[in-house]
Amino acid sequence: MWLRQIRDPSSATVDVVAHPPLTDELLRQLLEQAEHAGLDFKDRIDLAQLRDLVELAKDVGALEARGGFIVIGVDGNRDLSGLVDERTEQLCDEAVLQPKLRRYLPEPVDIAAAALSIDDKTAIVIHIEPHPQ
């Protein structure tokens, strides 16, 4: 979990949870790991298809228990598949993804998403914060 300090109006410093920086280096680190309870790899996803959207919402809901990552565009060998195209990037944009997930998951749905690249192949990294309840 990533923490950052902020000052509230009473001038007290408090720690708040923040999403990690979603960088190409983070993508490299995630690809070095095997899938586990906090990390899920997906070869491809089409969020225009209800089946894929519901599957993603199920995975996000499961990861909300402790937080974690979903990486889209990774094959069974943990290599970038090259299957993430511009349309997938647009559908996985946070501004598009948040309202879609809210249809299936209780508030708050706290995610950060970014399209990241290694060697001209793109993956979508989604970070899911633990749900407060």
Side-chain angles (χ1 to χ4, degrees):
M1 188 175 303
W2 290 262
L3 296 175
R4 64 177 173 182
Q5 290 189 337
I6 62 167
R7 246 181 229 290
D8 71 10
S10 68
S11 296
T13 301
V14 294
D15 288 333
V16 295
V17 175
H19 290 283
L22 301 181
T23 63
D24 295 345
E25 181 56 34
L26 174 65
L27 175 58
R28 282 185 183 88
Q29 291 172 7
L30 293 172
L31 292 173
E32 291 174 1
Q33 300 177 44
E35 282 186 311
H36 54 80
L39 177 60
D40 187 22
F41 294 124
K42 296 189 172 303
D43 190 31
R44 69 176 80 197
I45 194 166
D46 182 359
L47 294 179
Q49 300 294 316
L50 181 60
R51 172 190 71 246
D52 287 3
L53 176 59
V54 170
E55 178 71 20
L56 181 64
K58 177 186 72 84
D59 293 340
V60 169
L63 285 167
E64 281 185 319
R66 298 188 112 165
F69 294 91
I70 296 172
V71 185
I72 301 165
V74 178
D75 66 21
N77 296 319
R78 294 193 320 255
D79 294 320
L80 296 184
S81 64
L83 298 175
V84 172
D85 57 13
E86 188 175 322
R87 180 174 174 266
T88 303
E89 287 182 46
Q90 292 170 350
L91 290 171
C92 290
D93 182 87
E94 278 178 56
V96 174
L97 196 52
Q98 284 274 3
K100 287 180 180 265
L101 292 173
R102 284 189 185 120
R103 292 176 54 202
Y104 301 98
L105 298 168
E107 290 285 347
V109 177
D110 190 3
I111 64 165
L116 304 172
S117 297
I118 298 174
D119 299 329
D120 295 325
K121 290 184 180 177
T122 302
I124 306 294
V125 175
I126 303 171
H127 178 251
I128 300 96
E129 283 291 330
H131 195 277
Q133 296 176 348

